[in-house]
Amino acid sequence: MKKKRTNISDIAKAVQVTPSTVSRALNGGGKVSEKKKQEIISLAKKLGYRPNPIAKSLLENRTNTIGLIIPEFTHHFYSRMLAGIESITSNSGYQLLICTSNEDQSQEIKSIYTLLDARVDGVIATISKVNDTFGHLQEVMDNDTPLVLVDRFSEEIEAPYVISDDFQGAFSAVDHLCQIGCRKIVHIKGPDNLSTTFNRLMGYKEALRKHEIEWEEDLVLEGSNPDLEEQIKSCLETNLVDGAFAYSDYLAFEIYKVASQLKIHIPDQLAVIGYADEPISTYITPTLSTVNQQPFEMGAKAAQILLNQIENPEIPREFVSLPTELIIRKSIR
Amino acid sequence: MKKKRTNISDIAKAVQVTPSTVSRALNGGGKVSEKKKQEIISLAKKLGYRPNPIAKSLLENRTNTIGLIIPEFTHHFYSRMLAGIESITSNSGYQLLICTSNEDQSQEIKSIYTLLDARVDGVIATISKVNDTFGHLQEVMDNDTPLVLVDRFSEEIEAPYVISDDFQGAFSAVDHLCQIGCRKIVHIKGPDNLSTTFNRLMGYKEALRKHEIEWEEDLVLEGSNPDLEEQIKSCLETNLVDGAFAYSDYLAFEIYKVASQLKIHIPDQLAVIGYADEPISTYITPTLSTVNQQPFEMGAKAAQILLNQIENPEIPREFVSLPTELIIRKSIR
């Protein structure tokens, strides 16, 4: 059994006043003699009195906490997004309670209920890779708890969104490869079921179309394929590939690995662009060109929208798509 | 105002039975006709009824949540530690509520109270870099909420600990450098006030002592120094440094940077060992030798100890120090 918390009645008994006098002394308002007030405050301090959070939150209907659900922390993207969220929430006196879904929807659902049970004032979430049901997210909003979804979009759930312009990000990368003369550009795709995967593939195709290069099925590889290394190898060997655009920096590193095995020189024979600007990209040789998604700004914007919704639930839902930035490093001539 | 939750009375009214009948139908136990039971269950489902978590947790005095406080997520170390914790907690039906302190003690204190207010069943925490007060951690234990501290140790607070054997980790690294013939070994120190910084420095000194090499103050640099790059440069230029041991892989990369500027070849002229085995270490050229701290195992062990304490508060406090593993890569001949 947990130790009983000191409550207002304990203090009232000890100082021989009524509980409501203690409450007035601690919260201000009403008449209490200055001497009694000091006595009550000092005793409350000594006994480690803190207002009962449940009683307090029932009264105010606020806990000043915000729930955050993200897939994982191994990608730098999410720690930058977290930093952006914190830059807004901590200034506004909100505490974050974070849950990770590990890209598993059943874990995401459990996390949602844990956060609702903790009575968070709002939720920011990135939906997990596997996503085929959205009732738990709808329930958050039905419970009148503001919700903002970040990074990944689904047509299945109407909510405020803050995403990155993945189409434009991919388009600018592949457009650049075409401009420097690449004609055979391989694309390594992201996980199925994600809007980011779909939009980056569309951006890739659209840039090829702009440069009148026909799209070839053989040049689009599945990043999740367990034989990815073999696939890249056979693709680089069979086709005269001169450019590569990967869904993520980590997938671009797979291309680096195979190119090194096949003695294909980056950037002289093969120009490579990744996605997400992971810090590793500046450490690897040659440094990797990539697309910056502004994860800090995404997090900050999502937090701003959420806090606005908490203050004023009636404001219309926003859909924000942030621009990306193409970063050219030594993996491009 | 949040929408009112469906409660047992709402269901009871709708089905025209007593609330206690509804409770029995939903929780089992006592007599309820099968037909009524099905009617109640289906209505509860339809109305989105979930047991009131506060009433439920007051009853059971359990929320099946565990609070986790860590400094940040940019270091891979903490996401591996988190994975280790989750490997234990999720199998046991516990949900994690994570807070980040950003190495700021006031944030750490707020997080502790947020987690206590959320009525977590236990807390796992890594104390922040700046740490000069420990009352909030003591309060967790005084509140009969089990606490386990990980990674960083302080004599100021008696609690169960799971740490890594930093002394041995540093000793084995510097011992190896001496064995391959290094005689002038620079050490870049970690942040002040951390047990990890102190113990790695001690391990460094002890390995030198073993090889009868005198410790030189000039060869120990402060990692937090804003002029670190200049300091490394002047140290490498003035002394005939042939080895380097850094508090972290990121600090080792600073040595890489300066060595490249000064055209000092790694590993031929300078052997380098970092600490923590960040994934970047295998991508950088030459790949970095480092000390693996087993963060996954640390997290898993901490979670095991915490769950044991939750089940049986009377078991004695454990102090676990996990062994490290020296990983030799191409930064060493």
Side-chain angles (χ1 to χ4, degrees), chain A residues 274-291:
Chain A
Y275 213 99
D277 197 21
E278 290 283 327
I280 293 186
S281 306
T282 62
Y283 285 106
I284 201 166
T285 310
T287 56
L288 177 66
S289 306
T290 188
V291 178

Side-chain angles (χ1 to χ4, degrees), chain A residues 1-3 50 53 61 65 73 86 95-96 98-100 102 107 110 114 117 120 139 142 144 280, chain B residues 2-3 50 53 61 65 73 86 95-96 98-100 102 107 110 114 117 120 139 142 144 280:
Chain A
M1 274 299 286
K2 290 184 185 182
K3 198 186 280 183
R50 283 183 301 124
N61 213 14
T65 55
F73 277 111
E86 282 175 335
Q95 279 283 312
L96 280 182
I98 309 168
C99 295
T100 51
N102 291 317
Q107 179 60 32
K110 275 189 216 157
T114 301
D117 286 351
V120 294
E139 197 172 331
D142 290 350
D144 288 338
I280 293 186
Chain B
K2 290 185 186 179
K3 197 185 280 183
R50 284 183 302 124
N61 213 15
T65 55
F73 277 110
E86 282 175 336
Q95 278 285 313
L96 281 183
I98 310 167
C99 294
T100 51
N102 291 316
Q107 179 59 31
K110 274 189 216 157
T114 300
D117 286 351
V120 294
E139 197 172 332
D142 290 350
D144 288 339
I280 293 186

